[in-house]
Amino acid sequence: MKAVICGGGIAGLALARCLGDAGWDVVVLEKAPALRTQGYMIDFFGPGYTAAEELGLLPRLRELGYAVHELRYVDEDGRRRAGMTYATLGRAIGGRLISIMRPDLERALYESLPAGVDVRFGTTVTAVGGHKSSDTGGATVTLNDGTHLDADVVVGADGVHSAVRRLVFCEAEEDDDDRHVRHLGFHTAAFVFEDPEIHAACRDSFVLTDTVDRQMGFYGLRDGRVAAFAVHRTADPGLPGDPREALRKEYEGLGWAVPQALRACPPGDEVYYDQVAQTEVPCWSRGRVTLVGDACHAVSLLAGQGASLGLAGARLLAEQLSEAPSTVTALRRYEEQWRPVVTEKQRAARKGVRWFLPHSPTELRARRLALRAARLPGAGRYLASSLTGKSRGFSGERSTA
């Protein structure tokens, strides 16, 4: 059996690993020229943690991960206003938590691929066949160099802005793929820069501005650099042409370390910048073509666990493809089992906006009070459980707001 996986992110690499282990012939097509280095710090837990454990990845993830002491909010002078220890958060989920840079999670998956998996960087898909009722046999993809690949199944693992989804799941050329993307009213960005002073101030803690409608946070990396994360409200889903200039304009006026970080922000092509969105596709599969991860069920920063759900969903898809009596049956069972899980996470995210980024001084004060109350016996576990089930505002898995 042969699979062509479009997208070499977390879901795509996880699926390639699982299908490769099962003896499939696997080709991964990734538009980036190499493994991506852009990304943010995430808290990795939940179903993806369990899947990584079953795949034997946890030792490598712990090696690449970080020991975080505290989530801390500070005022414009860097003074602590509120926070919570990671020990409290960890206890709420039985210690099954790893803080790791998202690119490092992708690297660990890439390193674990069986020798026979063919990963082709700098490659895009221009056409997909095998999804129409008139199609017979298997599936096929046309690459940007004009060549074709035949497969038993084609998988779109190419994220929120999926090319496979656009090519296959839009009924006609005039259809707008934007109907599959729900903009949640935020833009987010992440970049890495050098600043010894900020690095020393962060050390082993996530440190975020205690601000309304926009927020920037920092964490010191082991190589001496600083990872920055930013999020702000906007009604416009459109992305700027120059992310660095957009960040400088949007976050101008924030205090503490923000001015230094903005001055040190690298060029736009070294900045991760995107809208905060969810993807909602009525049916994840057509014929022998299916979607996995953010291409069909992005939960967004507000829900967290995006990488976790992408990895676990890919593992479930691989199991069904390897065990079901037919490809069509496998794809149907995969969606029946996984859609309810991600739908609940998406729903929780939309309800948790106030935790993610307060919209008013009143909401900001309420968050401070909730974090202070967490010091009371029993309250910390309750708050941590609610946060790990929704969002926290710095990381992509549970943002640390």
Side-chain angles (χ1 to χ4, degrees):
M1 299 290 286
K2 181 174 182 177
V4 173
I5 301 170
C6 306
I10 290 169
L13 293 174
L15 181 61
R17 160 67 193 275
C18 295
L19 289 178
D21 285 347
W24 281 55
D25 181 5
V26 181
V27 179
V28 179
L29 309 175
E30 169 54 46
K31 68 178 181 180
L35 285 175
R36 288 168 289 187
T37 59
Q38 301 166 330
Y40 37 75
M41 183 75 74
I42 64 175
D43 290 331
F44 185 67
F45 64 100
Y49 187 103
T50 301
E53 183 175 39
E54 294 169 348
L55 293 171
L57 292 172
L58 289 188
R60 180 57 170 153
L61 296 186
R62 292 193 182 104
E63 180 183 356
L64 294 170
Y66 289 82
V68 182
H69 170 65
E70 183 187 34
L71 163 70
R72 183 167 74 247
Y73 293 95
V74 299
D75 65 15
E76 60 183 9
D77 296 316
R79 294 174 296 195
R80 188 182 190 278
R81 279 188 168 176
M84 175 182 286
T85 66
Y86 257 59
T88 300
L89 296 167
R91 285 193 297 270
I93 49 178
R96 297 172 64 79
L97 165 70
I98 297 175
S99 297
I100 186 171
M101 291 292 286
R102 188 181 181 99
D104 285 341
L105 177 55
E106 292 186 359
R107 175 154 61 106
L109 285 165
Y110 179 78
E111 293 171 348
S112 78
L113 293 178
V117 173
D118 179 10
V119 180
R120 305 183 186 183
F121 291 104
T123 305
T124 58
V125 176
T126 60
V128 180
H131 60 282
K132 298 179 180 179
S133 58
S134 58
D135 292 330
T136 59
T140 183
V141 296
T142 303
L143 309 184
N144 55 310
D145 63 1
T147 59
H148 304 274
L149 290 176
D150 296 322
D152 295 285
V153 64
V154 172
V155 182
D158 44 352
V160 173
H161 309 291
S162 170
V164 174
R165 189 184 64 232
R166 174 177 50 80
L167 291 168
V168 173
F169 293 81
C170 290
E171 300 293 344
E173 290 186 4
E174 61 270 18
D175 279 359
D176 188 356
D177 185 57
D178 288 345
R179 63 191 174 92
H180 295 133
V181 180
R182 181 199 290 253
H183 176 57
L184 296 178
F186 302 88
H187 279 185
T188 185
F191 58 92
V192 176
F193 66 100
E194 294 186 8
D195 190 297
E197 181 181 353
I198 299 177
H199 188 276
C202 297
R203 295 188 179 179
D204 59 352
S205 296
F206 291 130
V207 186
L208 300 104
T209 62
D210 190 44
T211 43
V212 170
D213 285 342
R214 53 182 179 160
Q215 173 181 266
M216 190 171 285
F218 306 95
Y219 185 80
L221 302 178
R222 61 174 59 91
D223 63 3
R225 297 183 301 164
V226 179
F229 168 87
V231 62
H232 65 271
R233 291 180 183 270
T234 176
D236 182 6
L239 302 179
D242 187 337
R244 178 169 60 178
E245 289 306 311
L247 287 172
R248 289 176 173 175
K249 180 179 179 180
E250 185 65 39
Y251 294 89
E252 181 182 12
L254 287 187
W256 187 50
V258 174
Q260 292 169 246
L262 293 177
R263 286 193 294 270
C265 182
D269 59 355
E270 297 180 31
V271 176
Y272 166 82
Y273 193 109
D274 206 350
Q275 61 173 293
V276 176
Q278 294 180 341
T279 48
E280 299 171 326
V281 184
C283 181
W284 294 352
S285 302
R286 290 194 174 179
R288 290 176 174 265
V289 181
T290 193
L291 303 173
V292 69
D294 285 353
C296 59
H297 61 64
V299 291
S300 83
L301 294 174
L302 279 69
Q305 299 191 65
S308 176
L309 294 170
L311 198 160
R315 182 160 172 75
L316 173 62
L317 174 58
E319 290 174 351
Q320 293 300 328
L321 286 170
S322 299
E323 298 172 2
S326 71
T327 298
V328 173
T329 299
L331 301 184
R332 174 177 54 80
R333 290 178 178 176
Y334 149 67
E335 181 171 352
E336 287 175 348
Q337 294 180 41
W338 200 236
R339 182 183 283 275
V341 176
V342 297
T343 297
E344 187 279 329
K345 291 294 182 183
Q346 290 180 325
R347 186 181 303 112
R350 295 192 293 271
K351 293 181 180 179
V353 173
R354 287 183 300 172
W355 272 110
F356 183 72
L357 185 61
H359 191 41
S360 68
T362 300
E363 291 180 359
L364 194 66
R365 288 191 291 270
R367 184 176 65 183
R368 292 178 199 151
L369 290 173
L371 289 168
R372 290 168 187 164
R375 302 173 187 172
L376 300 175
R381 180 175 293 275
Y382 173 80
L383 180 58
S385 298
S386 66
L387 291 174
T388 54
K390 297 178 182 177
S391 292
R392 272 193 307 111
F394 183 90
S395 75
E397 289 311 282
R398 291 167 297 135
S399 64
T400 45

